């Protein structure tokens, strides 16, 4: 099912010819937190599919999995009609398997560093009370709901129970009608979904807000957040019914996610290992 969703998104992106990244619809909100210049990608569309396929298989044989997956993704986007004839689905699974192995090794190598960081992570948090609970958010994350955001936080209720959560806010002058979120992390794809709350601001120019605010309560969700925190490159696609928007997850945002995960465990939250997944990051401050 995940592969089907991924390919559907690839086809949508190709058909839209990237109109979803048009900045003409950008709201005039000062210093919007995630409206950053997107990472420049290499254009492989001028390479014949057969030649590009040979490049891809060569990269696999040479264990150059990230660049090979990048080219494979381009081949799928530009020529979805070749998915079956070239058995691109099988090839994608092979790349994803190798990339996942690399990711797990990177997690394991840095596991010891998390324990060293945890006490200091609490210093990066700001806190406030809301809905009978104390909320803990990294100091670098947006403080007000007038900005787009992509960050984790945790809450502590009166009984002392902690809950880890993810908040993603999209703002524009038109509804995107977000259905799910596809996060590409170092050439591996993850999918997030949940109820999206829609609201509209008052005033001369009305802005549409689409907010995802969900608990990180499954190993799959946790692994996605861990992968983002540890990544070199992470890009989120907010996928609507007929359009999509792309957002680069910045270094600052990734560091904030890491800080929250560290602080959450240090303050007594469910240990990461209890959810059958590892969380690490080697980029110490």
């Amino acid at each position: 099912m995940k592969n089907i969703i991924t390919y559907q998104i690839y086809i949508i992106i190709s058909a839209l010819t990237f109109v979803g990244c048009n900045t003409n619809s950008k709201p005039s909100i000062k210093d919007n937190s995630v409206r950053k210049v997107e990472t420049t990608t290499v254009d492989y569309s001028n390479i014949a599919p057969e030649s590009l396929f040979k490049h891809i298989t060569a990269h696999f044989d040479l264990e150059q999995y990230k660049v090979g997956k990048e080219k494979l993704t381009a081949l799928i986007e530009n020529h979805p009609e070749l998915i079956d004839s070239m058995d691109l689905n099988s090839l994608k699974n092979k790349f994803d398997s190798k990339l996942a192995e690399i990711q797990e090794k990177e997690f394991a190598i840095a596991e010891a560093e998390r324990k060293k960081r945890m006490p200091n992570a609490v210093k990066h948090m700001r806190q406030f009370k809301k809905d009978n609970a104390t909320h803990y958010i990294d100091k670098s994350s947006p403080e007000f709901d007038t900005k787009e955001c992509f960050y984790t936080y945790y809450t502590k209720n009166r009984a002392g129970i902690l809950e880890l959560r993810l908040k993603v806010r999209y703002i524009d002058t038109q509804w995107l009608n977000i259905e799910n979120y596809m996060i590409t992390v170092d050439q591996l794809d993850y999918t997030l979904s949940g109820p999206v709350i829609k609201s509209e601001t008052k005033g001369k120019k009305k802005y549409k807000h689409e907010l995802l605010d969900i608990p990180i309560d499954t190993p799959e969700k946790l692994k996605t957040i861990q992968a983002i925190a540890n990544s070199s490159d992470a890009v989120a696609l907010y996928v609507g019914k007929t359009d999509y928007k792309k957002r680069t997850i910045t270094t600052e945002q990734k560091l904030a996610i890491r800080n929250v995960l560290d602080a959450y465990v240090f303050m007594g939250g469910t240990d990461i290992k209890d959810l059958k997944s590892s969380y690490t990051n080697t980029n110490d401050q």
Side-chain angles (χ1 to χ4, degrees), residues 27 29 32 35 144-149 167-178 181 195-202 205-212 238:
I29 300 175
N32 195 301
R35 290 187 181 274
F144 305 106
D145 60 8
T146 56
K147 293 185 177 182
E148 286 196 350
C149 64
K167 179 174 286 188
V168 183
R169 181 184 293 107
Y170 169 76
I171 303 175
D172 210 324
T173 55
Q174 302 294 325
W175 292 115
L176 183 56
N177 297 313
I178 298 172
Y181 304 76
V196 177
I197 302 171
K198 299 169 71 173
S199 61
E200 190 172 19
T201 61
K202 299 179 181 179
K205 197 166 188 178
K206 296 182 179 180
Y207 293 109
K208 278 59 172 173
H209 289 224
E210 298 183 46
L211 175 66
L212 178 76
Y238 303 172

Side-chain angles (χ1 to χ4, degrees), residues 82-133:
L82 299 178
I83 291 175
D84 292 332
S85 62
M86 287 189 170
D87 199 13
L88 299 184
N89 184 23
S90 176
L91 186 56
K92 176 183 179 297
N93 289 338
K94 290 180 180 179
F95 271 101
D96 286 351
S97 178
K98 293 296 184 180
L99 289 168
E101 288 178 11
I102 293 172
Q103 193 174 84
E104 288 298 324
K105 289 179 181 178
E106 291 174 348
F107 286 170
I109 290 172
E111 175 62 27
E113 299 302 319
R114 177 173 66 86
K115 297 178 181 179
K116 297 178 183 178
R117 289 193 314 265
M118 286 195 300
N120 291 325
V122 178
K123 300 177 183 178
H124 295 286
M125 300 297 107
R126 71 170 183 269
Q127 64 184 68
F128 61 89
K129 293 187 180 296
K130 181 181 179 182
D131 299 330
N132 297 318

Side-chain angles (χ1 to χ4, degrees), residues 5 21 25 28 33 44 65 73-74 78 81-82 89 95 99 108 111-112 131 148 151 165 220 226 228 233 236 247 271:
I5 294 173
C21 298
S25 62
S28 56
S33 61
Y44 298 109
Y65 302 120
T73 300
N78 295 326
E81 74 280 2
L82 299 178
N89 184 23
F95 271 101
L99 289 168
E111 175 62 27
D131 299 330
E148 286 196 350
Y151 66 84
R165 301 185 65 88
E220 292 75 20
Q226 293 167 347
I228 294 170
D233 300 294
R247 295 289 184 265
D271 195 301

Side-chain angles (χ1 to χ4, degrees), residues 12 20 33 43 52 69 75 84 94 104 107 113 118 121 124 132 136 140-141 179-180 186 215 219 228 254 282:
I12 291 173
S33 61
D43 183 9
L52 189 57
K69 178 64 184 301
L75 180 59
D84 292 332
K94 290 180 180 179
E104 288 298 324
F107 286 170
E113 299 302 319
M118 286 195 300
H124 295 286
N132 297 318
Y136 296 84
S140 67
S141 296
E179 295 185 336
N180 56 64
D186 295 331
I228 294 170
K254 289 183 284 189
T282 57

Side-chain angles (χ1 to χ4, degrees), residues 8 18 29 62 66 86 94 109 112 153 155 165 272 280:
Q8 287 176 335
F18 295 98
I29 300 175
L62 294 171
K66 287 187 178 181
M86 287 189 170
K94 290 180 180 179
I109 290 172
Y153 69 99
T155 62
R165 301 185 65 88
I272 302 302
T280 57

Side-chain angles (χ1 to χ4, degrees), residues 125-137 151-167 213-215 260 263-264 267-270:
M125 300 297 107
R126 71 170 183 269
Q127 64 184 68
F128 61 89
K129 293 187 180 296
K130 181 181 179 182
D131 299 330
N132 297 318
T134 303
H135 293 232
Y136 296 84
I137 299 175
Y151 66 84
T152 51
Y153 69 99
Y154 64 92
T155 62
K156 184 177 182 179
N157 65 19
R158 290 180 177 178
I161 299 174
L162 276 65
E163 181 180 56
L164 183 63
R165 301 185 65 88
L166 170 70
K167 179 174 286 188
D213 191 347
I214 57 173
V260 168
Y264 169 75
M267 293 300 291
T270 302

